[in-house]
Amino acid sequence: MSEQITTDPTSSAALVSVSSPNPLKKKQENTSPVDSKLTELNESRAELLNRIQNLKQDLQSWRGKLDTQVQVYHEELSGLKKTLNLEVEQLREEFKDLKTTLSQQQDDVSASLKTLGLQDDSKESKEQMVTEERVEARLTDENAKEAEH
């Protein structure tokens, strides 16, 4: 871009030489690779932004599906828990009924033995009832613990 002037002191004529061609042409050559790089970078940026947007949409969709699935499982587990609690309550009622029936039968047998004069002492009968009550209390506690879990 600069001109160099060379003069020879021994010669009467001065030689002038131009070291660079047209400066406008050189500037256009330099901007062409930059423009293509900018275009390439812009295209790459647009592509990456598009991919990011698609990934965000996929993530939102995945979260929605996951939330729905969690809700379905939660509802199923709640239903199972209610069913289990109902079954445990039914078993408790059946156990109480059995206990009442057994106690009534035991009383009937004891009364029959008394009338026949074969019963030695009602002490054994009372001990057996206490044992049955302890077993029932243990079973009730175990059932309550299971229902909590």
Side-chain angles (χ1 to χ4, degrees):
M1 292 198 188
S2 63
E3 292 184 3
Q4 291 181 347
I5 303 174
T6 308
T7 54
D8 187 1
T10 55
S11 105
S12 60
L15 296 173
V16 177
S17 69
V18 178
S19 65
S20 65
N22 187 359
L24 196 55
K25 186 176 181 181
K26 189 172 186 180
K27 186 175 182 181
Q28 286 174 347
E29 289 173 3
N30 287 341
T31 60
S32 179
V34 171
D35 287 341
S36 70
K37 265 297 189 202
L38 281 175
T39 303
E40 184 181 324
L41 288 173
N42 283 334
E43 288 172 359
S44 176
R45 181 177 180 263
E47 184 179 317
L48 288 173
L49 288 173
N50 188 28
R51 286 175 62 192
I52 289 171
Q53 190 65 26
N54 288 339
L55 288 172
K56 284 181 180 180
Q57 289 173 353
D58 289 347
L59 181 62
Q60 273 185 323
S61 172
W62 182 78
R63 280 183 179 166
K65 289 177 183 176
L66 184 62
D67 289 344
T68 302
Q69 197 65 34
V70 166
Q71 186 176 2
V72 167
Y73 287 153
H74 185 267
E75 290 170 0
E76 286 179 11
L77 286 174
S78 294
L80 290 172
K81 184 177 178 182
K82 287 177 184 176
T83 303
L84 181 64
N85 286 337
L86 286 174
E87 289 178 7
V88 166
E89 192 60 36
Q90 286 174 345
L91 288 172
R92 284 182 182 154
E93 290 297 321
E94 289 176 14
F95 186 75
K96 282 182 184 178
D97 292 343
L98 282 173
K99 180 185 174 196
T100 304
T101 304
L102 286 174
S103 178
Q104 183 63 41
Q105 287 176 352
Q106 186 178 11
D107 290 345
D108 291 346
V109 168
S110 293
S112 295
L113 289 175
K114 259 186 187 180
T115 58
L116 294 174
L118 297 175
Q119 185 176 7
D120 291 341
D121 204 344
S122 64
K123 201 178 213 183
E124 268 182 42
S125 173
K126 289 180 182 176
E127 287 177 2
Q128 189 176 3
M129 286 182 70
V130 168
T131 304
E132 287 176 4
E133 287 175 3
R134 288 180 186 162
V135 168
E136 178 192 352
R138 251 189 251 138
L139 287 174
T140 304
D141 288 344
E142 289 174 7
N143 287 338
K145 288 178 183 177
E146 287 179 13
E148 289 177 5
H149 297 292

